Amino acid sequence: MASVSLVPFISKYKVSSVLNRDVTGLGKQNLFDGNSETCWNSEQGTPQHILVEFKQPVCIHSVVVQFQGGFAGKTTKLIDGDSKSEICPLYPEDNNKTQTLNLPLQEHGVERQKIKLQFVNSTDFHGRIIVYSLDFCGSVAQQPDNGPSNAGASTKDEPSVTPALTIT
C-alpha cells in the first residue's frame, strides 16, 4: 500500500509547552499549516513532546520533520499513545533540512490511533525544540465493510421465497 500524508486524518494534537506561552505566534497550529515561515517553539526544559490523535486507526511508515538547526530533538522516541509503550527510537540530525525518519518495517502494518513524539533531550543547551513542519506518512487502516445488510436477500443458489398471502 502506498504511503500518504496522514495529516488530513489528525483529529487533535497537543504539545508539551510553548515558548513564553505565545500560542498565537509559536503554537502547535504551526506544525501542520504548510507555512515554512511559522514554527512550534517549546519552552526550555526536557522532555518535550507532541501528542497526536487520528480520526481512525492508521499505520505509520515514517515521520517527516523540519527542525531549526541547533534546536532539534537529540534523543527522540515514537511512543504508542494508548499503551504508552515505545514504538521505536528516531535519530534526527541537527540541521534545518526536512528529514524523513523511517520506522522499522515490522511497524508498518501496526494500527495506531494515538502517538507521541517525545524529545527526551535537545541539541539546545536549554532543552528547547523548534519544529517548522511535521508530517506522518503511512496508510489509513481498512475499516470493516458495514455496507447494506443482506438480510432477506437471496443468493443465486437459493431461490427467493415470497410468503404466501392468507385470506380469511
Side-chain angles (χ1 to χ4, degrees):
M1 189 175 278
S3 205
V4 298
S5 171
L6 299 173
V7 169
F9 301 98
I10 294 175
S11 63
K12 56 186 170 180
Y13 50 102
K14 298 178 184 180
V15 294
S16 50
S17 66
V18 176
L19 184 65
N20 298 326
R21 296 188 180 129
D22 181 6
V23 294
T24 303
L26 302 171
K28 66 181 182 177
Q29 72 280 0
N30 298 329
L31 290 169
F32 304 109
D33 68 357
N35 183 344
S36 62
E37 301 295 319
T38 63
C39 65
W40 165 61
N41 192 332
S42 78
E43 191 63 77
Q44 65 183 5
T46 56
Q48 299 291 337
H49 70 262
I50 301 167
L51 181 63
V52 178
E53 185 171 341
F54 296 94
K55 298 173 189 173
Q56 64 192 76
V58 298
C59 299
I60 299 170
H61 302 168
S62 61
V63 177
V64 181
V65 63
Q66 182 183 12
F67 292 102
Q68 169 68 48
F71 297 89
K74 190 173 182 180
T75 304
T76 304
K77 297 177 183 180
L78 191 62
I79 298 171
D80 185 296
D82 289 318
S83 70
K84 312 291 187 239
S85 61
E86 183 176 334
I87 298 168
C88 66
L90 299 172
Y91 303 99
E93 296 179 14
D94 182 16
N95 62 39
N96 299 341
K97 297 177 184 173
T98 300
Q99 306 173 50
T100 300
L101 309 170
N102 293 311
L103 275 65
L105 285 176
Q106 66 265 24
E107 295 295 334
H108 287 204
V110 179
E111 296 179 5
R112 296 187 168 86
Q113 199 152 351
K114 288 182 191 175
I115 56 162
K116 183 181 200 179
L117 189 58
Q118 185 174 48
F119 308 104
V120 178
N121 53 35
S122 169
T123 56
D124 173 53
F125 178 75
H126 298 286
R128 294 168 293 191
I129 301 286
I130 301 177
V131 177
Y132 279 88
S133 65
L134 180 63
D135 195 356
F136 299 95
C137 294
S139 58
V140 178
Q142 295 297 323
Q143 295 295 311
D145 184 16
N146 294 331
S149 172
N150 289 333
S154 63
T155 64
K156 287 183 179 180
D157 297 317
E158 276 182 34
S160 177
V161 177
T162 305
L165 181 61
T166 309
I167 301 176
T168 57

